[in-house]
Protein backbone atom coordinates (compact mmCIF):
# COMPACT_ATOMS: atom_id res chain seq x y z
CA UNK A 1 0.00 0.00 0.00
CA UNK A 2 2.80 2.47 0.81
CA UNK A 3 4.24 1.87 -2.67
CA UNK A 4 1.08 3.20 -4.31
CA UNK A 5 1.63 6.73 -2.97
CA UNK A 6 1.75 9.11 -6.02
CA UNK A 7 3.19 6.48 -8.32
CA UNK A 8 1.62 8.02 -11.43
CA UNK A 9 -0.82 10.44 -12.90
CA UNK A 10 -4.24 10.70 -11.40
CA UNK A 11 -6.68 9.80 -14.23
CA UNK A 12 -9.30 12.14 -12.77
CA UNK A 13 -6.89 15.08 -13.05
CA UNK A 14 -6.18 14.20 -16.66
CA UNK A 15 -9.90 13.93 -17.45
CA UNK A 16 -10.59 17.29 -15.78
CA UNK A 17 -7.76 18.97 -17.70
CA UNK A 18 -8.94 17.34 -20.94
CA UNK A 19 -12.53 18.46 -20.44
CA UNK A 20 -11.50 21.99 -19.50
CA UNK A 21 -9.25 22.21 -22.57
CA UNK A 22 -11.96 20.74 -24.83
CA UNK A 23 -14.48 23.35 -23.67
CA UNK A 24 -11.99 26.17 -24.17
CA UNK A 25 -10.91 24.88 -27.59
CA UNK A 26 -14.42 24.34 -28.93
CA UNK A 27 -15.50 27.78 -27.73
CA UNK A 28 -12.55 29.67 -29.24
CA UNK A 29 -11.47 27.34 -32.06
CA UNK A 30 -11.81 30.00 -34.76
CA UNK A 31 -9.68 32.62 -33.01
CA UNK A 32 -6.99 30.52 -31.34
CA UNK A 33 -3.45 31.32 -32.45
CA UNK A 34 -0.42 29.08 -32.08
CA UNK A 35 0.76 31.25 -29.18
CA UNK A 36 -2.51 31.00 -27.26
CA UNK A 37 -2.72 27.24 -27.86
CA UNK A 38 0.83 26.65 -26.59
CA UNK A 39 0.18 28.95 -23.63
CA UNK A 40 -2.97 27.01 -22.73
CA UNK A 41 -1.21 23.65 -23.09
CA UNK A 42 1.69 24.92 -20.94
CA UNK A 43 -0.82 25.48 -18.15
CA UNK A 44 -2.01 21.86 -18.43
CA UNK A 45 1.59 20.59 -18.49
CA UNK A 46 2.45 22.67 -15.42
CA UNK A 47 -0.57 21.42 -13.49
CA UNK A 48 0.01 17.75 -14.31
CA UNK A 49 3.72 17.93 -13.49
CA UNK A 50 2.88 19.56 -10.15
CA UNK A 51 0.46 16.74 -9.40
CA UNK A 52 3.25 14.17 -9.68
CA UNK A 53 2.94 13.02 -13.28
CA UNK A 54 6.13 12.10 -15.08
CA UNK A 55 7.12 13.97 -18.23
CA UNK A 56 6.29 10.91 -20.34
CA UNK A 57 2.81 10.63 -18.82
CA UNK A 58 2.18 14.33 -19.41
CA UNK A 59 3.32 14.10 -23.04
CA UNK A 60 1.04 11.11 -23.64
CA UNK A 61 -1.92 12.76 -21.89
CA UNK A 62 -1.58 16.06 -23.77
CA UNK A 63 -1.05 14.34 -27.11
CA UNK A 64 -4.25 12.33 -26.47
CA UNK A 65 -6.15 15.51 -25.63
CA UNK A 66 -4.94 17.22 -28.83
CA UNK A 67 -5.57 14.14 -30.98
CA UNK A 68 -9.17 13.89 -29.70
CA UNK A 69 -9.75 17.48 -30.87
CA UNK A 70 -8.01 16.91 -34.23
CA UNK A 71 -5.21 19.34 -33.38
CA UNK A 72 -1.98 18.46 -35.16
CA UNK A 73 0.91 19.46 -32.86
CA UNK A 74 3.28 19.40 -35.84
CA UNK A 75 1.37 22.30 -37.39
CA UNK A 76 2.08 24.59 -34.44
CA UNK A 77 4.96 26.85 -35.51
CA UNK A 78 5.16 29.47 -32.73
CA UNK A 79 5.19 29.28 -28.97
CA UNK A 80 6.12 31.36 -25.97
CA UNK A 81 8.50 29.44 -23.73
CA UNK A 82 10.20 32.33 -21.98
CA UNK A 83 9.56 32.46 -18.24
CA UNK A 84 8.33 28.86 -18.00
CA UNK A 85 9.88 26.23 -15.78
CA UNK A 86 12.53 24.08 -17.47
CA UNK A 87 10.59 20.82 -17.22
CA UNK A 88 7.49 22.49 -18.69
CA UNK A 89 9.53 23.78 -21.64
CA UNK A 90 11.03 20.31 -22.16
CA UNK A 91 7.58 18.73 -22.35
CA UNK A 92 6.25 21.49 -24.65
CA UNK A 93 9.17 21.02 -27.05
CA UNK A 94 8.38 17.29 -27.23
CA UNK A 95 4.67 17.95 -27.86
CA UNK A 96 5.26 20.83 -30.32
CA UNK A 97 8.58 19.95 -32.02
CA UNK A 98 8.20 22.61 -34.75
CA UNK A 99 7.32 25.50 -32.43
CA UNK A 100 9.95 28.20 -32.11
CA UNK A 101 10.27 30.91 -29.47
CA UNK A 102 8.06 33.88 -30.37
CA UNK A 103 8.45 36.78 -27.97
CA UNK A 104 9.98 40.19 -27.67
CA UNK A 105 13.75 40.44 -27.11
CA UNK A 106 15.00 38.98 -23.82
CA UNK A 107 14.62 41.08 -20.70
CA UNK A 108 18.38 41.63 -20.35
CA UNK A 109 18.58 43.94 -23.41
CA UNK A 110 18.83 47.55 -22.29
CA UNK A 111 15.90 49.90 -22.74
CA UNK A 112 17.96 52.03 -25.14
CA UNK A 113 18.68 49.02 -27.37
CA UNK A 114 14.99 48.08 -27.31
CA UNK A 115 14.00 51.59 -28.37
CA UNK A 116 16.56 51.61 -31.17
CA UNK A 117 15.47 48.23 -32.51
CA UNK A 118 11.74 48.95 -32.23
CA UNK A 119 11.69 52.54 -33.48
CA UNK A 120 11.75 51.86 -37.24
CA UNK A 121 9.02 49.24 -36.84
CA UNK A 122 6.88 51.54 -34.71
CA UNK A 123 7.39 54.44 -37.13
CA UNK A 124 6.42 52.23 -40.08
CA UNK A 125 3.33 50.99 -38.25
CA UNK A 126 2.28 54.55 -37.37
CA UNK A 127 2.83 55.74 -40.94
CA UNK A 128 0.78 52.80 -42.27
CA UNK A 129 -2.07 53.52 -39.87
CA UNK A 130 -2.06 57.23 -40.73
CA UNK A 131 -2.02 56.52 -44.47
CA UNK A 132 -4.89 54.07 -44.13
CA UNK A 133 -6.92 56.51 -42.03
CA UNK A 134 -6.27 59.36 -44.46
CA UNK A 135 -7.19 57.16 -47.42
CA UNK A 136 -10.43 56.10 -45.76
CA UNK A 137 -11.25 59.66 -44.63
CA UNK A 138 -10.39 60.98 -48.10
CA UNK A 139 -12.66 58.43 -49.74
CA UNK A 140 -15.42 59.25 -47.28
CA UNK A 141 -15.08 63.02 -47.80
CA UNK A 142 -15.01 62.63 -51.59
CA UNK A 143 -18.10 60.41 -51.48
CA UNK A 144 -20.04 62.89 -49.33
CA UNK A 145 -19.11 65.74 -51.71
CA UNK A 146 -20.13 63.71 -54.75
CA UNK A 147 -23.37 62.76 -52.98
CA UNK A 148 -24.11 66.45 -52.53
CA UNK A 149 -23.33 67.21 -56.18
CA UNK A 150 -25.49 64.29 -57.33
CA UNK A 151 -28.35 65.43 -55.10
CA UNK A 152 -28.16 68.96 -56.53
CA UNK A 153 -28.20 67.52 -60.05
CA UNK A 154 -31.24 65.42 -59.10
CA UNK A 155 -33.10 68.53 -57.93
CA UNK A 156 -32.07 70.45 -61.09
CA UNK A 157 -33.24 67.57 -63.32
CA UNK A 158 -36.62 67.57 -61.52
CA UNK A 159 -36.95 71.32 -62.09
CA UNK A 160 -36.12 71.14 -65.80
CA UNK A 161 -38.01 67.84 -66.18
CA UNK A 162 -35.12 65.84 -67.69
CA UNK A 163 -35.71 62.15 -66.98
CA UNK A 164 -32.34 60.93 -68.25
CA UNK A 165 -30.44 63.36 -66.05
CA UNK A 166 -32.76 62.47 -63.13
CA UNK A 167 -32.02 58.74 -63.49
CA UNK A 168 -28.26 59.19 -63.78
CA UNK A 169 -27.97 61.71 -60.93
CA UNK A 170 -30.16 59.75 -58.53
CA UNK A 171 -28.21 56.54 -59.30
CA UNK A 172 -24.93 58.34 -58.66
CA UNK A 173 -26.32 59.79 -55.43
CA UNK A 174 -27.22 56.30 -54.22
CA UNK A 175 -23.80 54.89 -55.17
CA UNK A 176 -21.92 57.70 -53.42
CA UNK A 177 -24.14 57.36 -50.34
CA UNK A 178 -23.26 53.66 -50.10
CA UNK A 179 -19.53 54.32 -50.60
CA UNK A 180 -19.56 57.13 -48.00
CA UNK A 181 -21.30 54.94 -45.44
CA UNK A 182 -18.95 52.03 -46.11
CA UNK A 183 -15.94 54.33 -45.68
CA UNK A 184 -17.47 55.71 -42.50
CA UNK A 185 -17.77 52.28 -40.93
CA UNK A 186 -14.38 51.29 -42.41
CA UNK A 187 -15.61 48.46 -44.58
CA UNK A 188 -13.43 49.61 -47.49
Amino acid sequence: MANNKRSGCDPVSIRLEAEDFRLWYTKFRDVISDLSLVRRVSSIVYNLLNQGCSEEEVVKAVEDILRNLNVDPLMIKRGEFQGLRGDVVDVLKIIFPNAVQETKPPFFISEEDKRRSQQPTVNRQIKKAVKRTLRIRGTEAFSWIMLGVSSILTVVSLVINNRLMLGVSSSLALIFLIVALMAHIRMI
Side-chain angles (χ1 to χ4, degrees):
M1 282 290 181
N3 241 357
N4 201 8
K5 182 183 147 195
R6 299 298 251 179
S7 63
C9 264
D10 179 18
V12 174
S13 296
I14 294 173
R15 277 197 306 273
L16 290 173
E17 292 289 350
E19 183 60 19
D20 187 45
F21 184 81
R22 186 190 64 75
L23 291 172
W24 172 80
Y25 185 78
T26 54
K27 183 175 183 180
F28 299 110
R29 174 186 322 235
D30 297 332
V31 295
I32 293 174
S33 68
D34 286 3
L35 290 173
S36 60
L37 182 80
V38 171
R39 199 173 303 121
R40 183 72 173 175
V41 169
S42 72
S43 173
I44 295 170
V45 170
Y46 178 81
N47 290 340
L48 291 177
L49 287 173
N50 280 346
Q51 292 175 14
C53 297
S54 70
E55 289 184 8
E56 295 79 24
E57 291 171 318
V58 174
V59 168
K60 183 185 179 319
V62 171
E63 286 177 342
D64 287 345
I65 292 169
L66 295 174
R67 190 177 317 107
N68 289 337
L69 293 170
N70 294 322
V71 176
D72 183 4
L74 299 176
M75 297 304 294
I76 305 301
K77 304 293 182 198
R78 301 177 315 147
E80 190 170 338
F81 307 111
Q82 193 171 340
L84 298 176
R85 235 173 41 195
D87 56 347
V88 174
V89 173
D90 293 342
V91 171
L92 288 174
K93 292 212 180 234
I94 293 169
I95 296 169
F96 304 111
N98 297 328
V100 294
Q101 174 67 26
E102 179 80 22
T103 58
K104 293 181 180 177
F107 66 93
F108 52 82
I109 292 179
S110 72
E111 288 299 318
E112 185 178 318
D113 290 341
K114 281 184 190 177
R115 271 183 260 135
R116 266 192 243 132
S117 68
Q118 291 176 349
Q119 192 166 4
T121 305
V122 171
N123 286 343
R124 268 187 261 129
Q125 290 171 343
I126 290 171
K127 285 179 184 178
K128 259 186 180 176
V130 167
K131 277 184 182 179
R132 179 169 161 50
T133 302
L134 289 176
R135 182 178 53 80
I136 290 171
R137 294 296 175 206
T139 304
E140 182 181 1
F142 176 75
S143 296
W144 285 118
I145 291 168
M146 292 308 293
L147 174 63
V149 170
S150 300
S151 299
I152 291 169
L153 285 175
T154 302
V155 170
V156 169
S157 66
L158 282 171
V159 170
I160 64 172
N161 201 16
N162 186 339
R163 287 186 175 178
L164 178 63
M165 194 166 121
L166 175 65
V168 169
S169 61
S170 59
S171 296
L172 286 174
L174 181 61
I175 290 169
F176 286 118
L177 175 64
I178 292 169
V179 170
L181 291 174
M182 287 176 67
H184 184 72
I185 60 174
R186 295 177 187 247
M187 282 183 64
I188 56 173

